[in-house]
Amino acid sequence: MRDSVEIGLGKTAQRGYHLDDIALVPTRRTRDVDDVSTSWQLDAYQFKIPCVAHPSDATMSPATTVALGRLGGLGVLNVEGLWCRYEDPTRVLEELAGLKGDEPTTRRLQEVYSAPIKPELIVERVKQIRDGGVTVAVRVSPQHTLALAPVILDAGVDILVIQGTLVSAEHVSTVDEPLNLKEFIADLDLPVVVGGCTNYQTALHLMRTGAAGVIVGIGGDQWSTTDRVLGIRVPMASAIADAAAARRDYLDETGGRYVHIIADGDITTSGDIARAIGCGADAVMLGEPLTRSENAPAGGAWWVSAASHPKLPRGSFGGAEEPMGSLERVLFGPSDDPEGVLNLFGGLRRAMAKCGYRDLKEFQKVGLVLDR
C-alpha cells in the first residue's frame, strides 16, 4: 500500500507519482544497443515494438493501422469512429485538420460524430486491414459492445479492445443491462484487451474477467480535460506499478496466467516509454505522438474519443501542426530533435542498453529513483 497523507481532519489521500517524477537507475553493466530486443507477444500475436495505437480517428485509419502493423506495432481502429460512420470520411478529416483553436471545434466534433455507425462499414474496414496482412484489432466502448459485437466478430478480427475512459468488471445500472465482462469474454475464442483502469483493485478484477490485456490509465495528455470535467487525474507511474502488483498476485492466484499491461496516458517521448516499461508495463498506447507523422489522417490535428461525447465532452481539440516525417521516422528515426519525440523506440532500445537489459521482461525489473 502506498503512503497516505492527511489532507484534513479525518480525510487522507494516497500519494501518487507521475512518470516525470521518476528516473531509471542503470546497473553495473551496459549492453550494445543491437543486442537489445523490444519485441513482445499478446496471446498468439507477436510484435516487434511495444506500441499499441490509441484508437483516435486523428491517427488511425485503415491505412495507418496497416502501416503501423507492418512496422511492428499494433494499430487499433475505432469501430465507433468516422471510418465506420462515413463511406469516405476524408473530406470530414480534411475539414477537421483545417480547424483553428478559436473556432467551435468541440461542437463540430459532436456534429460529425452524430452520424450513425454503419455495420456494413465495420465489415469493410476490417477486411481492408486484413488485406493489409497485419493483425486486426478494433476498439469498441463498453456501452456498445453487446450491440456491435456480433458484427465485429463476424467480420473476423484478431483482437478486440473494449475501452472507455474508465472500465470496471462490475458496472451497476438500474437503467440498462450492464456488460458482464467475465461472461462475455468466456464466450469468445479471441484475446480481449479491456480498460482503462487506475488502481490495483480494478486492475485485478479486470484480470479476473479473463482479459488478455488491461489498459492502465485514461489516455490523459495535454488535451485531455477529464481532470477538469470529472476531477479524475491518474499518476501513471503509480498506476502502472499498482497494476503490475495486481498481475503478480493474479499470477499466484491462477498458477501462471499472465495478463499484459498497456499504459495509456502522459506518454509523449521515448523517455516516457522507457519509464512506463520500467514501472511494469508490457506496452504503451500512443496517441498524440503519432500525429507527428505525415501519414496521420487528420493532418496533425488531435483529439481523443471522449472529445466528441454528445453530452459531456472530455477533451480539447489540438490544431494541426507541421508533420515531422514518416511514421517510420517517428518510431525508428533518424531524429534531429533532442527532446525524444522522434525515434521513439530507438530511444527505448538505447535506454534498455544503457541500463544493461536485453529484453522488455528484464527491463521491467530496472531500478527506479524518485527525483522530484
Side-chain angles (χ1 to χ4, degrees):
M1 183 67 67
R2 297 199 303 275
D3 292 341
S4 293
V5 180
E6 187 175 277
I7 61 172
L9 292 177
K11 194 68 173 180
T12 61
Q14 283 193 346
R15 193 186 300 273
Y17 300 99
H18 296 272
L19 292 173
D20 280 348
D21 294 328
I22 63 168
L24 307 175
V25 179
T27 63
R28 62 182 174 84
R29 68 164 60 90
T30 56
R31 293 184 182 273
D32 191 296
V33 70
D34 291 329
D35 293 332
V36 170
S37 170
T38 58
S39 64
W40 71 297
Q41 182 168 332
L42 177 64
D43 200 74
Y45 302 98
Q46 295 184 342
F47 306 96
K48 293 180 181 178
I49 53 174
C51 175
V52 179
H54 186 92
S56 169
D57 291 321
T59 54
M60 285 292 105
S61 66
T64 53
T65 300
V66 170
L68 180 58
R70 290 177 176 173
L71 289 170
L74 176 62
V76 183
L77 188 75
N78 184 10
V79 299
E80 298 175 33
L82 299 177
W83 290 93
C84 295
R85 296 175 189 265
Y86 296 88
E87 290 282 349
D88 183 4
T90 304
R91 185 176 300 176
V92 175
L93 289 164
E94 289 176 349
E95 178 200 341
L96 294 175
L99 293 178
K100 306 299 181 184
D102 57 351
E103 298 181 66
T105 52
T106 297
R107 186 181 306 163
R108 186 57 184 141
L109 283 175
Q110 292 172 322
E111 289 171 352
V112 299
Y113 280 91
S114 67
I117 299 168
K118 299 178 180 178
E120 66 273 16
L121 287 180
I122 296 177
V123 176
E124 182 177 332
R125 303 314 182 199
V126 168
K127 182 180 184 302
Q128 289 174 331
I129 298 170
R130 182 166 300 285
D131 288 347
V134 300
T135 302
V136 182
V138 301
R139 174 262 179 189
V140 64
S141 67
Q143 296 89 339
H144 293 107
T145 296
L146 292 177
L148 295 178
V151 178
I152 294 170
L153 298 176
D154 287 346
V157 301
D158 298 314
I159 297 172
L160 179 63
V161 179
I162 301 176
Q163 183 185 23
T165 302
L166 290 166
V167 176
S168 71
E170 187 178 344
H171 179 67
V172 179
S173 175
T174 58
V175 179
D176 299 310
E177 179 185 359
L179 171 66
N180 186 314
L181 276 172
K182 189 170 185 177
E183 291 180 359
F184 179 79
I185 292 173
D187 290 337
L188 302 181
D189 58 358
L190 80 167
V192 179
V193 175
V194 298
C197 69
T198 65
N199 56 42
Y200 168 95
Q201 199 64 40
T202 306
L204 181 60
H205 282 193
L206 288 176
M207 291 172 188
R208 287 172 175 166
T209 65
V214 169
I215 300 169
V216 177
I218 58 174
D221 59 23
Q222 65 173 317
W223 303 105
S224 172
T225 61
T226 299
D227 179 12
R228 296 191 287 280
V229 177
L230 300 181
I232 297 172
R233 181 170 63 245
V234 182
M236 282 299 294
S238 296
I240 297 167
D242 283 353
R247 177 173 58 202
R248 285 193 296 272
D249 290 345
Y250 184 67
L251 277 166
D252 291 341
E253 181 181 299
T254 59
R257 185 175 184 274
Y258 191 90
V259 179
H260 292 83
I261 294 171
I262 301 169
D264 180 26
D266 289 334
I267 298 172
T268 60
T269 69
S270 52
D272 294 334
I273 296 172
R275 285 188 284 261
I277 302 293
C279 287
D282 297 283
V284 296
M285 183 167 270
L286 295 184
E288 187 190 6
L290 300 185
T291 64
R292 300 169 192 144
S293 163
E294 61 194 14
N295 311 98
W302 171 248
W303 63 92
V304 295
S305 299
S308 62
H309 193 283
K311 295 182 179 179
L312 194 67
R314 298 180 301 280
S316 300
F317 180 89
E321 297 183 5
E322 285 296 317
M324 301 181 75
S326 66
L327 179 59
E328 184 173 10
R329 186 181 183 215
V330 171
L331 300 178
F332 302 116
S335 172
D336 57 7
D337 183 280
E339 301 298 329
V341 300
L342 292 177
N343 197 5
L344 293 172
F345 292 93
L348 171 63
R349 287 170 62 90
R350 193 162 295 275
M352 294 168 65
K354 292 290 186 184
C355 292
Y357 295 91
R358 63 182 178 182
D359 59 38
L360 296 175
K361 282 288 187 292
E362 281 192 357
F363 192 51
Q364 290 176 338
K365 303 172 184 177
V366 68
L368 302 174
V369 61
L370 188 65
D371 67 348
R372 294 193 182 185

